[in-house]
Amino acid sequence: MVDNLIRSTFTLPDNASIGGTGKDVGWREPPMNDLYTRVGCLEADVAVIKQTMATKEDIANVNTELHKSIGAQTWKMITAMGVFAAFFSAINGALIYFIK
């Protein structure tokens, strides 16, 4: 894997050959402008990542808001189920009373 990375990054000199010859194959370094361009692209990518990355404080705030929201929704559901149960109990009691 590393060899493939080196081969894709660097190019062989024109007179070099690969394959069991036992000769030391020298790798020609890429032009420096290419490296500067690639480093510049990496810097831009890291800057974008830093701008959009959430901090521990951001995550803690979202976690707190989420738990508050879930708690509020839970009590609303419990209240609604209680009202629903009371309503149908009253209907059931009334039906039983009037049917007899």
Side-chain angles (χ1 to χ4, degrees):
M1 181 171 162
V2 174
D3 191 41
N4 290 336
L5 178 65
I6 291 172
R7 287 173 196 262
S8 67
T9 305
F10 300 101
T11 56
L12 284 172
D14 295 335
N15 61 357
S17 64
I18 298 177
T21 59
K23 294 182 181 178
D24 184 26
V25 177
W27 296 96
R28 184 175 66 206
E29 293 184 16
M32 291 304 289
N33 290 337
D34 183 43
L35 288 176
Y36 291 139
T37 303
R38 294 173 81 181
V39 168
C41 290
L42 286 173
E43 287 175 345
D45 290 343
V46 169
V48 169
I49 291 170
K50 282 184 176 181
Q51 289 175 354
T52 58
M53 185 171 40
T55 62
K56 287 183 180 180
E57 183 178 309
D58 294 335
I59 293 171
N61 289 339
V62 168
N63 192 15
T64 302
E65 291 175 18
L66 179 68
H67 283 286
K68 285 179 183 178
S69 175
I70 289 173
Q73 293 297 321
T74 300
W75 284 110
K76 287 178 185 177
M77 289 300 295
I78 289 172
T79 303
M81 290 186 328
V83 169
F84 183 77
F87 176 74
F88 280 104
S89 293
I91 295 290
N92 188 25
L95 287 175
I96 291 174
Y97 177 76
F98 287 115
I99 290 177
K100 283 185 174 183

